[in-house]
Amino acid sequence: MSNTRRPLRGRQAAIAIAFAGPWLLGLATLVVYPFCASLYWSFCRYDLLRPPEWIGLDNYRRLAGELVRGDGFGQALFNTLYFALVSVPLSVALGVGVAVLLAGNRRGRAFFRTLFFLPSVVPLVAASILWLWLLDPQEGLINAFLGQLGITGPDWFKSPNVALLPPAWLSGTWGIGSKDALTLMSLWGVGNFMVIYLAALTDVPHELYEAAELDGATPWQRFLNVTLPMLSPVIVFNVVLGLINAVQAFTQVYIVSDGQGEPLGSLRMLSVHLFLSAFKQLDMGYTSAAAWVLFVIIVVVTVLLFRSSRRWVHYAGATR
Amino acid sequence: MKHRSSNHAARVTLVALALLFAIPLVWLLLSSFKSQEELVAEPYRLLPREWRFENYRDAVQAMPYLRYLRNSLVLCLGSVTGTLCSCTLAAYAFARLRWPGRDVLFAVLIGTMLLPWHVTMIPRFLLLRELGLYNSLAALIVPTFLAEAFYVFLLRQFFLAIPEELSEAARIDGGSEWAIFTRVILPLSRPALATVALFQFVAAWNDFSGPLLYLSDPDRFPLAYGLEQFVSAYSSQTALLLAAAVLFTLPIVVLFFLAQRTFVEGFRTSGLKG
């Protein structure tokens, strides 16, 4: 019995490995090897012209220095965090808001859903060209419209200001700038998240709302006590996905800043900073170290979010 | 009474938001027919005073549009083929076969989805360059034949839902795993295959960082990258830029309307079954 089973099982394993073969090859060559190589190179000086030369923690020391001074990596990290921490909560709020409005409006729902979803399928390259023009300080639609109302519009992508940073309010240098313009653009593409919320909303049992209504709950109370808890697992998932996307945002940042991260480095996000330091400065060691720091940040944030979410997320049936 | 007024307010908010979402697209389309002078003088005007259909001809002539388009199509079709071939195979191994190390490797697969592309960017680039793929669309197509974790995950979820009895029946009839894969599983998975094909087509069409990294010869640029080259060179000819952007966006929007269900379902399943 065991004699016939073993070759059979071995055969099964061989077949399975053949099926998984292309992925395994990809894993080894395009993930595991690059993963190890970049870790090693993060401790090296490597400019492609000469072979990598071990320099210990120098690259990480340089990163720490830049973090303290707030230039280079430090500035890129600030830019990235500002964009991620402003755009992700806003897009959750807008996505949930639109989904709730859509769920409550049966008439024309399909039409509106299509309309809100459509901007999210516009390719980022085209969307960037479009918003570069819409938000052009002189010739763009939005400032021209504001001008008609007698308002001088902000400089959008051409200004290093930030709108939502408390220290900047106090020093009187606040204003709408490049990262806020980028946020606006990303909010326009919120449709793909919105359909996920909408789908989750239509899965909420109707009895819950009826019970709440019988208890005399106002619409706002029903939203807080029924809708939001029922949506919370999807929200957590979208926040994690949104943060990962925002931290890695490259295409739109590269295009609206003409590949430089300007003005005054205000759009030099991590992804642009890493691209420039690798392929313009040919500083492969430093870039690898920075990429590893970014990776560790992403892992820590993801784990923290999922950990803490256990406390405030409602998983249906989890109480049993 | 109070109920009705709050309903009314919700409806008004919805329509106002819908307008805000629609305006950029409407202006993109209509402004692409305006003359440059008109676009600068009164950008807020809805309809063009004079419809300049020539903008489209000029935009296509200003850059090697047809060459870019051909490159884009090669890239899209090549990478869709690669993705479908490799990801279905791996997903089958994860969903329908029992083998040692499967669950560990599946955890690894999920882990690779969290890995930022910057970590692997440099070694990957040097490796593909070493293989002689630099400055060739193959640098962007070949990796798709080695499977992408996200699609493997998506297909695995779908394959798992197919009743095991169907495979068992085929096995009793003496069918090989290959026969079960091609004659039972794949035909039943058309919706999932369509989702993956669609997502990969769109991803390849839109891909900007890939060509930026791997291509240097303008003859090989796909549209997404070719169009960006056009941004700084033609920054004073906004109308042409907008026309080019419309031409680039249109196929995706048409595809969206043809396959709306697949698009939306794809987003839903990829989001919800995590």
Side-chain angles (χ1 to χ4, degrees):
Chain A
M1 196 67 188
S2 65
N3 271 353
T4 54
R5 225 191 224 166
R6 203 175 266 156
L8 248 180
R9 207 187 271 169
R11 219 179 99 81
Q12 264 249 325
I15 291 172
I17 285 165
F19 269 93
W23 174 72
L24 286 170
L25 183 62
L27 181 71
T29 57
L30 299 177
V31 182
V32 175
Y33 159 70
F35 190 74
C36 301
S38 77
L39 182 61
Y40 174 67
W41 291 344
S42 75
F43 298 104
C44 294
R45 179 180 299 123
Y46 187 23
D47 59 6
L48 295 186
L49 304 173
R50 282 156 297 181
E53 175 199 342
W54 184 268
I55 53 169
L57 287 172
D58 277 9
N59 289 321
Y60 290 96
R61 267 189 218 109
R62 196 178 135 199
L63 286 171
E66 289 179 345
L67 263 180
V68 172
R69 285 193 308 274
D71 59 5
F73 184 73
Q75 184 185 30
L77 188 65
F78 165 75
N79 287 336
T80 306
L81 288 180
Y82 177 86
F83 172 62
L85 295 180
V86 170
S87 70
V88 171
L90 284 178
S91 66
V92 169
L94 185 66
V96 171
V98 170
V100 168
L101 286 174
L102 276 180
N105 259 284
R106 252 182 229 112
R107 207 148 42 95
R109 187 193 290 173
F111 169 78
F112 282 113
R113 190 180 70 168
T114 305
L115 209 160
F116 283 111
F117 188 65
L118 204 52
S120 72
V121 299
V122 172
L124 270 180
V125 174
S128 306
I129 292 175
L130 171 61
W131 281 89
L132 256 181
W133 170 66
L134 287 174
L135 297 178
D136 188 274
Q138 275 82 43
E139 299 173 1
L141 172 68
I142 290 181
N143 277 10
F145 177 74
L146 290 175
Q148 288 288 298
L149 299 174
I151 303 167
T152 311
D155 283 344
W156 303 109
F157 290 123
K158 307 288 185 277
S159 153
N161 287 345
V162 285
L164 296 167
L165 194 73
W169 302 342
L170 297 176
S171 65
T173 57
W174 80 281
I176 295 172
S178 52
K179 289 186 281 289
D180 305 303
L182 211 58
T183 300
L184 200 62
M185 184 180 149
S186 74
L187 287 180
W188 186 59
V190 83
N192 49 4
F193 285 125
M194 187 274 297
V195 291
I196 300 176
Y197 296 127
L198 187 59
L201 273 178
T202 46
D203 289 344
V204 175
H206 213 258
E207 299 86 65
L208 288 179
Y209 287 109
E210 280 163 10
E213 207 158 347
L214 277 179
D215 289 344
T218 62
W220 178 244
Q221 284 172 326
R222 269 177 290 171
F223 173 74
L224 278 186
N225 297 315
V226 180
T227 311
L228 221 46
M230 294 304 282
L231 279 186
S232 54
V234 188
I235 291 179
V236 172
F237 186 78
N238 280 354
V239 165
V240 172
L241 216 65
L243 282 176
I244 291 178
N245 282 344
V247 166
Q248 300 189 49
F250 179 74
T251 302
Q252 68 274 46
V253 188
Y254 185 94
I255 294 175
V256 300
S257 69
D258 209 9
Q260 305 297 319
E262 296 304 312
L264 289 175
S266 66
L267 284 178
R268 204 173 165 110
M269 304 253 182
L270 281 176
S271 52
V272 174
H273 181 63
L274 291 176
F275 171 78
L276 293 176
S277 55
F279 295 101
K280 296 290 180 249
Q281 275 109 48
L282 296 184
D283 211 339
M284 301 302 175
Y286 166 83
T287 311
S288 299
W292 267 87
V293 173
L294 171 65
F295 175 48
V296 170
I297 292 174
I298 288 184
V299 170
V300 169
V301 169
T302 308
V303 169
L304 283 182
L305 260 171
F306 276 124
R307 277 267 170 88
S308 75
S309 74
R310 277 186 210 142
R311 248 178 270 147
W312 52 274
V313 171
H314 171 86
Y315 288 105
T319 45
R320 254 180 292 153
Chain B
M1 199 58 205
K2 198 177 167 196
H3 221 81
R4 185 168 294 168
S5 74
S6 86
N7 265 349
H8 191 68
R11 181 115 193 132
V12 170
T13 317
L14 183 68
V15 172
L17 275 172
L19 269 178
L20 286 179
F21 271 71
I23 282 173
L25 280 182
V26 172
W27 249 264
L28 168 64
L29 190 62
L30 292 174
S31 302
S32 70
F33 292 106
K34 290 179 182 169
S35 70
Q36 184 63 23
E37 297 72 40
E38 191 190 334
L39 198 63
V40 174
E42 10 172 35
Y44 39 80
R45 204 187 138 82
L46 181 62
L47 290 175
R49 284 186 190 282
E50 170 207 7
W51 290 78
R52 284 183 54 94
F53 293 95
E54 311 91 279
N55 281 353
Y56 281 80
R57 187 200 58 204
D58 295 348
V60 167
Q61 284 173 353
M63 59 177 172
Y65 186 87
L66 290 178
R67 181 177 294 272
Y68 290 165
L69 178 65
R70 200 200 61 190
N71 293 336
S72 273
L73 289 176
V74 169
L75 176 59
C76 288
L77 297 179
S79 68
V80 167
T81 310
T83 302
L84 283 180
C85 291
S86 58
C87 296
T88 49
L89 285 170
Y92 186 80
F94 280 116
R96 315 289 298 193
L97 296 173
R98 254 176 235 217
W99 42 293
R102 181 187 69 177
D103 298 337
V104 175
L105 281 173
F106 187 67
V108 170
L109 177 103
I110 300 293
T112 61
M113 289 200 274
L114 276 181
L115 196 64
W117 62 280
H118 311 92
V119 172
T120 52
M121 168 178 84
I122 296 170
R124 218 179 167 152
F125 172 82
L126 296 177
L127 180 74
L128 290 170
R129 196 182 67 164
E130 208 58 42
L131 294 173
L133 298 180
Y134 180 69
N135 196 19
S136 148
L137 284 171
L140 307 174
I141 295 173
V142 168
T144 64
F145 279 88
L146 302 179
E148 163 80 37
F150 171 68
Y151 298 128
V152 175
F153 174 75
L154 208 73
L155 288 167
R156 170 193 178 262
Q157 302 303 92
F158 197 90
F159 290 175
L160 276 178
I162 297 173
E164 187 59 37
E165 290 80 27
L166 292 175
S167 301
E168 279 310 317
R171 264 183 211 120
I172 288 164
D173 289 347
S176 64
E177 287 303 329
W178 180 252
I180 297 168
F181 172 65
T182 53
R183 300 216 194 110
V184 179
I185 301 296
L186 287 187
L188 286 172
S189 308
R190 283 207 194 100
L193 299 179
T195 302
V196 169
L198 188 71
F199 273 28
Q200 179 56 36
F201 187 95
V202 173
W205 181 268
N206 295 350
D207 184 22
F208 173 76
S209 53
L212 172 70
L213 242 63
Y214 287 101
L215 303 177
S216 64
D217 180 357
D219 275 356
R220 313 229 161 111
F221 291 170
L223 267 174
Y225 189 47
L227 196 59
E228 193 268 340
Q229 304 289 303
F230 196 67
V231 173
S232 31
Y234 284 79
S235 56
S236 59
Q237 305 214 39
T238 316
L240 291 196
L241 258 182
L242 295 180
V246 170
L247 282 178
F248 175 59
T249 307
L250 213 56
I252 299 296
V253 171
V254 169
L255 202 61
F256 166 68
F257 277 110
L258 291 178
Q260 190 168 4
R261 189 169 293 245
T262 312
F263 254 103
V264 173
E265 286 301 308
F267 271 112
R268 280 182 51 178
T269 44
S270 61
L272 282 174
K273 292 188 181 150

